[in-house]
Amino acid sequence: MSLFAPSRSHHLIVLILWLSTLFLIWQHYHGLAQLSPGQTVKAQKALSTQPEDAQDPEGILSITLPVDRPQPIAPAAPNGVEALLSSIAKSIEYFVNVPIQPSEFSQLGGRLQILSTWLSARETLPSLMSSSQITTLDSHIERTVISLFPFIRHPMQPKNAQPFSTLRQTFQKGSSGIVIAGDKSNLRYLCHAIQNIRTVLNSSLPIQIAHAGDRVLTPSLRRFITNLAPNVTTINVPTLLDPRPLDLQRPDAAPALRPFAVLASPFEQVILIEPKTIFLQPPTTILENHGAYKATGALLFHDHLHGKGDFKERHEFWHGLMKNHRHSQALRSSRVYNEGYAEETDGGVIVLDKSRTSVMLGLLHTCWQNSKRVRKDFTYKSGDGDRDSWWLGFELAGAPYAWESRYGGTIGWLLKQEGKQDRVCGNTNLHLDESDKPLWFSGGLVADETNTVGRDAGVGGYQLPTQWMVDGVFQKRREDLVGRGRERDCMWGDTVRGVGAEETRVLSESIAAARKVDEKSRLFDARTYRKPTKEGS
């Protein structure tokens, strides 16, 4: 999607020249002081050919420039395309000679915003450019992407000079599908999710199980999964991206696999889900009907609102990244960011349209946050796995994204206690569509003593949810009491709603389908599967 109309092509050249020049000067004054002597020399060489008369008439050099901020348009310069290409080349020299460090989340966002203007030029200016100029611009763009995201190279094509465009060409035009990151530890729930989508909701969307090699998901398990339902395939992510900066085969790297699975998937529109995600409506509802998704191409869902005042270091980290950043509407609407609540993102469903350039740039930032060095030292120290890297990536890259309108609710069972308000309890996070109808929930179908009310379903058993609530007060269970039946996730303070007839049908049939999967296989990992007891079955 172009950020500028073709009729403004001449002005776009001038705008990009201004942005690139101002960015270089800003980098010079704000970045060189933090470099080593060797890096300083390289950066000064990269800047040495800057025009002596570079000006800053609007006084905006000290801030990061979002691509959507209106800028003054200077008179058209002669031979504007050549000047544009020269300015881009100088910026690239800085990018290459002064690489992004693992702590520089905001710096990467600034560079992506500059890259966005170059990609817009590539989309809107071909009629003003010769074939050689187009080739030069393509080369500049590819060199920039490689300098920022070395993992983008296909491991079988290490010398490919155009890995970014090559990757984008693998996206099947107009395609959409579901991606689930899987391994042995979540196999049972993954199979339940497939049955819920394909067998109960009759969705024909292709389902792709992303994994990180035979050690985490063996060939026999992959065969079992793909035989569960039609149009279910697997994808080995480290064979499609350079695995060296990623290190995805480590046991603790499971969350990091998810954004790279989205990047590597051939689907243009991707619904990324967790294995414990259960849909109450066909997932195509989001692609076809969700207005916020259609407007931005990137839809995220909120976690519960809880733990206000907890995780102060997390909030200090976030606010530090946003010091010189113009907050998007999505960030301004965030109660977690602005009011100090504990967790922002429910990663159970993330929906992206990779055909949009802005979405690709936001996704690349998120992937970078989940690369080995960055996630180890920063991303996972300041958040819960990959979850908050999604909104941070889009926010810092200046890419439009949208949140669902409500924070997470709860679907489960009614708990009545004398002297207390009625509560809905269950280890779930419920999300509604734009018509306030239940759409999906995280937490899975399996019930145990920590999330049921009334008759114990038994470890590995099931119990049909009967009530739900949103917009209430959420109390997260205490982990030190889990397993003793003394503490549950509960919500109170708003209307208790009964699960409707259609949702009950979907849940009942999903539980029946899950039981059949359980009966078919004993390949499940012992940590997530035990044969249901007679009392709890």
Side-chain angles (χ1 to χ4, degrees):
M1 176 177 290
S2 300
L3 298 177
F4 302 87
S7 61
R8 301 183 61 194
S9 56
H10 292 282
H11 287 165
L12 179 58
I13 294 175
V14 178
L15 174 58
I16 296 173
L17 283 167
W18 275 92
L19 286 172
S20 299
T21 301
L22 295 178
F23 176 76
L24 286 167
I25 299 171
W26 177 79
Q27 291 276 29
H28 178 73
Y29 287 108
H30 292 266
L32 293 183
Q34 302 177 11
L35 303 178
S36 66
Q39 288 177 312
T40 302
V41 171
K42 288 182 180 180
Q44 288 172 335
K45 288 181 179 178
L47 291 167
S48 62
T49 56
Q50 287 298 298
E52 295 180 0
D53 58 348
Q55 301 292 317
D56 178 25
E58 300 299 316
I60 55 177
L61 292 181
S62 61
I63 61 173
T64 301
L65 298 175
V67 295
D68 61 346
R69 173 173 294 185
Q71 298 298 325
I73 303 299
N79 201 15
V81 171
E82 284 300 323
L84 166 66
L85 295 176
S86 175
S87 176
I88 292 175
K90 292 170 185 175
S91 297
I92 292 172
E93 289 307 312
Y94 187 95
F95 291 169
V96 171
N97 288 312
V98 187
I100 291 290
Q101 299 303 307
S103 62
E104 295 178 323
F105 286 51
S106 301
Q107 182 71 244
L108 177 62
R111 295 190 186 189
L112 283 172
Q113 292 179 41
I114 296 296
L115 176 61
S116 178
T117 66
W118 302 347
L119 289 165
S120 289
R122 179 63 178 89
E123 294 176 1
T124 59
L125 301 181
S127 62
L128 302 176
M129 304 171 71
S130 67
S131 59
S132 63
Q133 288 173 331
I134 292 175
T135 299
T136 298
L137 179 56
D138 285 343
S139 177
H140 288 339
I141 289 171
E142 292 288 346
R143 191 179 175 202
T144 300
V145 173
I146 294 169
S147 73
L148 298 175
F149 311 107
F151 53 77
I152 201 118
R153 288 187 185 274
H154 194 291
M156 300 302 292
Q157 301 172 341
K159 296 183 179 180
N160 181 7
Q162 297 181 316
F164 185 50
S165 61
T166 299
L167 176 64
R168 297 188 81 180
Q169 288 167 10
T170 66
F171 304 158
Q172 300 167 7
K173 192 170 181 61
S175 64
S176 56
I178 295 168
V179 172
I180 314 175
D183 57 43
K184 291 182 290 186
S185 69
N186 57 36
L187 180 63
R188 185 189 190 195
Y189 305 109
L190 187 155
C191 294
H192 294 173
I194 292 173
Q195 296 294 73
N196 163 252
I197 293 166
R198 186 70 83 240
T199 304
V200 178
L201 294 171
N202 297 314
S203 173
S204 60
L205 275 179
I207 299 173
Q208 195 167 65
I209 309 304
H211 64 95
D214 292 350
R215 287 195 301 174
V216 295
L217 198 63
T218 64
S220 61
L221 292 179
R222 298 201 297 271
R223 285 193 297 271
F224 177 79
I225 293 168
T226 55
N227 288 330
L228 282 175
N231 206 3
V232 178
T233 59
T234 62
I235 178 174
N236 187 351
V237 175
T239 65
L240 301 172
L241 302 169
D242 189 341
R244 292 171 296 179
L246 310 184
D247 198 17
L248 295 175
Q249 294 183 324
R250 294 175 55 88
D252 59 353
L257 177 66
R258 289 161 36 85
F260 294 106
V262 175
L263 184 65
S265 172
F267 303 140
E268 209 170 50
Q269 294 188 81
V270 178
I271 303 176
L272 175 69
I273 74 172
E274 292 180 341
K276 287 188 176 183
T277 294
I278 298 297
F279 282 96
L280 298 170
Q281 299 180 42
T284 49
T285 298
I286 301 174
L287 304 180
E288 297 170 356
N289 302 323
H290 205 291
Y293 170 68
K294 287 186 173 183
T296 63
L299 177 63
L300 307 178
F301 291 84
H302 290 297
D303 206 330
H304 294 109
L305 273 181
H306 71 95
K308 189 171 184 177
D310 296 342
F311 301 107
K312 291 183 179 179
E313 291 184 357
R314 177 181 301 178
H315 279 269
E316 289 173 359
F317 176 72
W318 291 347
H319 284 267
L321 297 179
M322 303 300 166
K323 273 186 179 179
N324 296 316
H325 174 78
R326 182 186 179 188
H327 295 186
S328 70
Q329 177 57 41
L331 186 59
R332 291 196 296 271
S333 71
S334 168
R335 294 190 62 187
V336 170
Y337 180 83
N338 293 297
E339 300 177 33
Y341 286 97
E343 297 172 330
E344 179 65 281
T345 312
D346 183 349
V349 173
I350 291 167
V351 193
L352 303 180
D353 181 358
K354 296 189 298 181
S355 69
R356 306 193 192 196
T357 298
S358 61
V359 172
M360 277 298 297
L361 297 183
L363 174 59
L364 285 171
H365 197 300
T366 296
C367 287
W368 174 83
Q369 292 178 61
N370 287 272
S371 60
K372 180 182 178 180
R373 287 185 62 198
V374 184
R375 71 175 184 255
K376 177 183 177 183
D377 293 338
F378 297 95
T379 310
Y380 291 9
K381 285 185 177 181
S382 62
D384 182 10
D386 69 300
R387 294 190 173 196
D388 290 315
S389 68
W390 294 94
W391 72 263
L392 275 173
F394 279 81
E395 182 68 33
L396 292 172
Y401 67 104
W403 290 105
E404 66 170 321
S405 59
R406 284 185 163 95
Y407 277 82
T410 297
I411 184 170
W413 303 271
L414 184 64
L415 176 64
K416 287 182 173 289
Q417 292 179 314
E418 186 175 352
K420 294 185 178 181
Q421 298 182 56
D422 289 351
R423 303 180 177 214
V424 176
C425 300
N427 186 22
T428 59
N429 195 345
L430 175 68
H431 303 274
L432 311 182
D433 65 14
E434 291 186 309
S435 299
D436 292 339
K437 295 180 180 178
L439 177 61
W440 67 273
F441 66 90
S442 58
L445 295 167
V446 177
D448 59 36
E449 68 272 16
T450 67
N451 65 14
T452 61
V453 178
R455 187 175 69 88
D456 184 5
V459 175
Y462 302 89
Q463 187 176 358
L464 187 68
T466 53
Q467 280 84 25
W468 61 275
M469 181 184 290
V470 293
D471 298 335
V473 177
F474 179 76
Q475 177 64 55
K476 189 176 180 65
R477 62 183 179 177
R478 284 177 51 192
E479 294 300 325
D480 61 324
L481 297 179
V482 169
R484 303 184 215 171
R486 294 171 52 193
E487 196 80 9
R488 306 178 180 95
D489 288 351
C490 293
M491 180 171 283
W492 68 91
D494 204 82
T495 303
V496 176
R497 296 171 172 86
V499 176
E502 175 60 16
E503 290 83 14
T504 298
R505 178 195 69 80
V506 170
L507 288 166
S508 298
E509 294 182 10
S510 296
I511 288 174
R515 282 180 167 145
K516 289 181 180 179
V517 173
D518 293 350
E519 293 169 1
K520 284 182 180 179
S521 175
R522 292 297 179 262
L523 298 174
F524 299 111
D525 187 277
R527 288 173 296 174
T528 58
Y529 177 77
R530 297 184 202 174
K531 184 177 179 180
T533 63
K534 182 176 180 180
E535 294 77 16
S537 60

